[in-house]
Amino acid sequence: MSNPEGAQKQLPSYLTESLIRRSLEHDLQRSVTIDRFTAGPATAAGDNYLSDVFWIRVEYDGGSAEKRLLAKCMPNVGDRGATLDVLDAFRKESETFQQLLPEFSRLVSADGTEQFGAKCYYATTEPVRTIVFEDLKALGFRMCDRTKGGLDYEHMALVMRKIAKFHAASMLYARQSPEHERRLATRYAYGLYNPEEKPEDCRIIVPLQKGFEKFLSVANGWPELDPVVLRKLELLRPTFGERVADCVKPQQPAARYKALNHGDLWSNNMMFRYENNGTVVREIMFVDYQISTYGSPGLDLVYTLYNCPHRDIRLDRREDLLKLYHQVLSDTLKRNRYEPVPSFADVEEEFTRNEFYGLVCALTLLPIMVMERSNDLDLSFDAFFKEDHGDRVRDIQYNGTTFRESVVPILHDLHARGYIQ
């Protein structure tokens, strides 16, 4: 008999003993008796937008065993439910964790030591869409603080190595059979934007458009921003939504090579493990595969290198990080006799061809990712669709000191290289 305690009093009705028992039984392939469990919210406001995430500690089988789990719940409420449907987020993420990631791990490490995500115990749509994982925090992983302005070079090096191995694993998987290639191309055909929607109706692009307009308003008073840049950005206003929809399309005829993109690699979708009393970062794990997409790897590279690094290394160390990515990608593919191996020129081409996406990230996503924390502000997904509240949140995001210090050098660099036209 379960004995709910403490934080469990605030849990939603769908986080039940039955769900926990089914998760364990699905993994262990036998019946389980739950003795007691405790649970509580696993993320802070603003750290997760499309899901509700809960930690679970469960004792079972007469107290002889204990597990630490994480439940990622996606209730069909408000704009979140509709957005999850349009993005096909639950199907995509559950399939990725249950089927692709274990296969990817085997492809690049015979002993399965190269892991691309937490172990998945169970996925269900009843009573709400839920995926149950092992709790990476219990294994010593933790997130970096997104409000600190970005990741340092040591963290970014781990990020690029992991992306390279993930991309390589997907390339090896696609090479195994035409059916694998078709599976990636059809079941991961789009990410951030479903082409069946019009850009002006897209629940993702609409708030990005509003963010862009907020930037134009706020930055008008920044003396350190070249006024020529601001004037050119102003000219993008009428077509910005269409340009966003176009730049996130994964199928690009000119692509030098294709890979499965994670699709949302920012600091809150990464967890790190440390050594030497937390002073040396040693390992990384990706989370949240809701908008993965198969196509140009430039989408992951641009998204990550514009959103994740600290401003001191975003531009100065970008080539170093791309070279590191290429080295690991090349080594992984050669070790598995994959041909032809992309050259560094191929990697550069995929990155530079997709850099308008970097402009989109800088103007619309970066202010969200580096926003200072606020205990009295609703940062839920639905809040962004409430006109007055959404405007208040954007005021805070776009007037943030960290954002301002980060975005101006990005814009000057993009303008100098001809990407603001």
Side-chain angles (χ1 to χ4, degrees):
M1 180 120 181
S2 70
N3 181 25
E5 303 172 12
Q8 189 149 342
K9 295 178 181 179
Q10 290 82 42
L11 296 180
S13 60
Y14 49 77
L15 197 61
T16 63
E17 177 184 321
S18 173
L19 171 67
I20 297 168
R21 184 179 66 253
R22 281 181 282 141
S23 299
L24 294 175
E25 290 179 342
H26 185 266
D27 178 62
L28 298 172
Q29 293 296 297
R30 63 174 177 82
S31 61
V32 166
T33 300
I34 304 297
D35 300 305
R36 62 186 59 82
F37 73 93
T38 55
T43 56
D47 285 348
N48 198 283
Y49 290 96
L50 285 175
S51 310
D52 297 327
V53 186
F54 302 92
W55 59 264
I56 302 168
R57 181 173 179 174
V58 54
E59 297 177 37
Y60 59 99
D61 289 353
S64 64
E66 179 182 306
K67 290 282 187 184
R68 296 283 296 274
L69 306 173
L70 202 75
K72 184 174 184 177
C73 306
M74 310 170 207
N76 188 23
V77 294
D79 286 291
R80 277 198 306 175
T83 301
L84 288 164
D85 289 338
V86 169
L87 295 178
D88 196 17
F90 172 78
R91 192 277 307 165
K92 187 179 290 185
E93 186 165 37
S94 59
E95 183 172 319
T96 300
F97 271 99
Q98 291 184 307
Q99 300 176 33
L100 287 188
L101 297 191
E103 182 63 22
F104 284 9
S105 177
R106 288 189 290 269
L107 284 170
V108 298
S109 58
D111 56 1
T113 55
E114 186 67 52
Q115 297 290 318
F116 297 106
K119 178 181 179 181
C120 181
Y121 281 83
Y122 187 57
T124 182
T125 58
E126 298 295 336
V128 302
R129 291 168 286 202
T130 302
I131 307 176
V132 180
F133 306 96
E134 65 180 338
D135 187 351
L136 291 175
K137 286 185 179 180
L139 301 179
F141 288 87
R142 67 176 188 263
M143 288 182 182
C144 289
D145 187 343
R146 64 173 176 81
T147 68
K148 298 300 183 182
L151 303 177
D152 62 21
Y153 187 82
E154 287 70 27
H155 285 80
M156 284 303 305
L158 276 181
V159 173
M160 300 309 288
R161 288 177 178 277
K162 198 71 165 185
I163 296 174
K165 290 180 181 180
F166 178 72
H167 286 178
S170 71
M171 295 165 71
L172 294 167
Y173 177 83
R175 186 192 63 174
Q176 284 187 325
S177 71
E179 177 55 36
H180 284 184
E181 169 81 25
R182 284 193 297 272
R183 179 182 186 181
L184 293 178
T186 56
R187 299 182 73 79
Y188 297 85
Y190 62 87
L192 186 70
Y193 168 65
N194 185 335
E196 293 185 2
E197 284 191 301
K198 296 179 180 179
E200 61 269 24
D201 297 329
C202 176
R203 292 173 178 84
I204 300 295
I205 292 180
V206 167
L208 298 186
Q209 174 80 43
K210 291 181 178 179
F212 174 60
E213 292 171 356
K214 173 61 70 174
F215 173 83
L216 293 176
S217 172
V218 170
N220 191 48
W222 293 355
E224 71 273 29
L225 179 61
D226 186 338
V228 174
V229 174
L230 195 60
R231 286 197 297 270
K232 287 188 176 181
L233 289 174
E234 182 68 45
L235 294 175
L236 291 175
R237 188 196 295 263
T239 60
F240 186 74
E242 289 81 1
R243 294 284 298 273
V244 173
D246 186 62
C247 79
V248 299
K249 290 178 180 177
Q251 297 304 318
Q252 301 172 14
R256 302 282 185 92
Y257 64 107
K258 294 182 179 180
L260 183 65
N261 289 267
H262 176 283
D264 194 14
L265 282 173
W266 68 295
S267 57
N268 271 24
N269 285 335
M270 307 166 184
M271 297 185 73
F272 298 91
R273 183 153 59 184
Y274 298 82
E275 294 179 354
N276 296 346
N277 296 319
T279 60
V280 179
V281 60
R282 289 299 187 196
E283 192 175 353
I284 181 177
M285 199 79 79
F286 293 159
V287 302
D288 198 341
Y289 286 84
Q290 292 183 334
I291 57 174
S292 297
T293 183
Y294 182 65
S296 169
L299 295 174
D300 258 358
L301 296 176
V302 168
Y303 189 98
T304 305
L305 289 174
Y306 272 85
N307 288 324
C308 293
H310 191 273
R311 63 180 180 273
D312 292 339
I313 66 169
R314 180 181 284 110
L315 301 180
D316 294 342
R317 304 296 301 273
R318 181 169 61 199
E319 185 173 354
D320 294 337
L321 291 168
L322 284 173
K323 285 181 176 178
L324 178 59
Y325 163 85
H326 175 254
Q327 176 191 330
V328 176
L329 178 78
S330 177
D331 290 348
T332 306
L333 293 175
K334 287 177 180 178
R335 197 163 52 245
N336 289 277
R337 299 180 177 85
Y338 182 100
E339 293 182 352
V341 174
S343 66
F344 182 62
D346 294 331
V347 172
E348 286 186 304
E349 167 65 20
E350 292 309 303
F351 183 84
T352 56
R353 196 180 60 255
N354 285 279
E355 273 199 270
F356 185 82
Y357 192 23
L359 176 65
V360 173
C361 291
L363 295 177
T364 66
L365 298 176
L366 189 60
I368 299 172
M369 296 172 182
V370 299
M371 178 185 180
E372 290 81 359
R373 296 193 184 280
S374 175
N375 294 326
D376 61 349
L377 194 63
D378 183 1
L379 296 177
S380 66
F381 184 82
D382 286 333
F384 288 104
F385 292 88
K386 299 174 182 177
E387 196 65 33
D388 292 343
H389 187 81
D391 286 342
R392 181 186 172 203
V393 172
R394 279 185 284 272
D395 278 337
I396 296 172
Q397 291 169 342
Y398 282 87
N399 284 289
T401 300
T402 301
F403 169 65
R404 182 169 173 172
E405 292 175 344
S406 300
V407 74
V408 172
I410 294 174
L411 294 177
H412 286 163
D413 174 70
L414 285 169
H415 179 250
R417 295 188 293 120
Y419 286 96
I420 303 179
Q421 300 292 341

